Amino acid sequence: MNAINEIIVYLIQTVLGLYLLIMLMRFILQLSLADFYNPICQFLVRATNPIVIPARRLIPARGRLDFASLLLAVVIQLLGIVAMLLLNGVGLPPIGLLLAWSVIGVIGLLVKIYFFALLGMIILSWIAPGTSNPAAYLMFQITEPAMAPFRRMLPSMGGMDFSPILVFIIINIVQIALRNFAAGLGLHPALVMGI
């Protein structure tokens, strides 16, 4: 691969990867009922509205599930995979396999977003407890629905919260299962962001 081709591949991966991340964050915001007055949320909504609003006319949201954003994330992932395969001179596999790879990539990235949001919340609870930063508040809103069921299951530990450990265990189990499933389908980890 020559330098120009490598630069083009890098730029396409970066642009599509960032937009995929923004699109999945939009999905997570609605799923977790985040405060849409948060400046970060407003940016994410403005950045995704041009394609989400037309898609919602065809695919309406059902309660907290924004199917339009999720489907658009799969399409963005699919476009990224196709672009990477074509730019590297590799033939395209059947569309069913491409769709499966895209869904695996989106699920993997969703899991990774939760992993890093949870990690960020843990670090912030140590170094800046009770901060009113918009990013910290958003991370709390994203992670709280995932941790709340585990907090209810665990007995009180004298102010110690062990629910993040259980969530990390589940995240790692899902990541292992996704990696093995992706390998079984022949998905190379370089084609998607989440694996």
Side-chain angles (χ1 to χ4, degrees):
M1 179 184 312
N2 64 23
I4 299 295
N5 197 22
E6 192 173 337
I7 291 170
I8 291 170
V9 167
Y10 169 74
L11 290 175
I12 289 174
Q13 277 182 323
T14 302
V15 170
L16 287 177
L18 286 174
Y19 203 69
L20 174 62
L21 181 65
I22 290 170
M23 189 62 66
L24 284 177
M25 285 300 298
R26 167 90 181 236
F27 173 75
I28 291 171
L29 293 178
Q30 186 160 338
L31 185 64
S32 61
L33 298 176
D35 176 18
F36 277 86
Y37 291 107
N38 184 318
I40 298 169
C41 296
Q42 289 179 356
F43 162 75
L44 294 170
V45 169
R46 277 194 306 267
T48 55
N49 266 349
I51 62 173
V52 169
I53 289 177
R56 277 200 181 150
R57 290 186 188 118
L58 301 172
I59 308 161
R62 299 268 186 229
R64 293 170 27 172
L65 292 174
D66 183 10
F67 289 112
S69 295
L70 191 58
L71 180 64
L72 287 169
V74 171
V75 169
I76 292 167
Q77 181 70 73
L78 179 76
L79 292 173
I81 292 171
V82 168
M84 293 305 104
L85 291 173
L86 292 176
L87 287 170
N88 288 311
V90 179
L92 294 178
I95 188 68
L97 190 57
L98 283 172
L99 283 172
W101 288 357
S102 300
V103 169
I104 290 171
V106 166
I107 293 170
L109 187 56
L110 272 171
V111 170
K112 211 166 253 194
I113 290 169
Y114 273 100
F115 175 83
F116 284 111
L118 187 59
L119 188 63
M121 277 306 304
I122 291 170
I123 292 170
L124 281 174
S125 72
W126 293 338
I127 61 172
T131 185
S132 61
N133 184 301
Y137 185 61
L138 182 60
M139 280 191 288
F140 172 77
Q141 287 183 316
I142 288 171
T143 58
E144 187 55 30
M147 290 195 311
F150 296 103
R151 280 199 188 108
R152 287 191 294 270
M153 288 182 353
L154 293 173
S156 178
M157 307 274 185
M160 299 287 291
D161 185 10
F162 290 104
S163 60
I165 294 171
L166 294 176
V167 175
F168 275 132
I169 290 170
I170 290 174
I171 285 173
N172 284 326
I173 290 170
V174 170
Q175 286 178 329
I176 291 168
L178 280 173
R179 274 195 305 270
N180 285 297
F181 190 60
L185 290 176
L187 174 61
H188 192 280
L191 290 176
V192 295
M193 284 180 58
I195 304 289

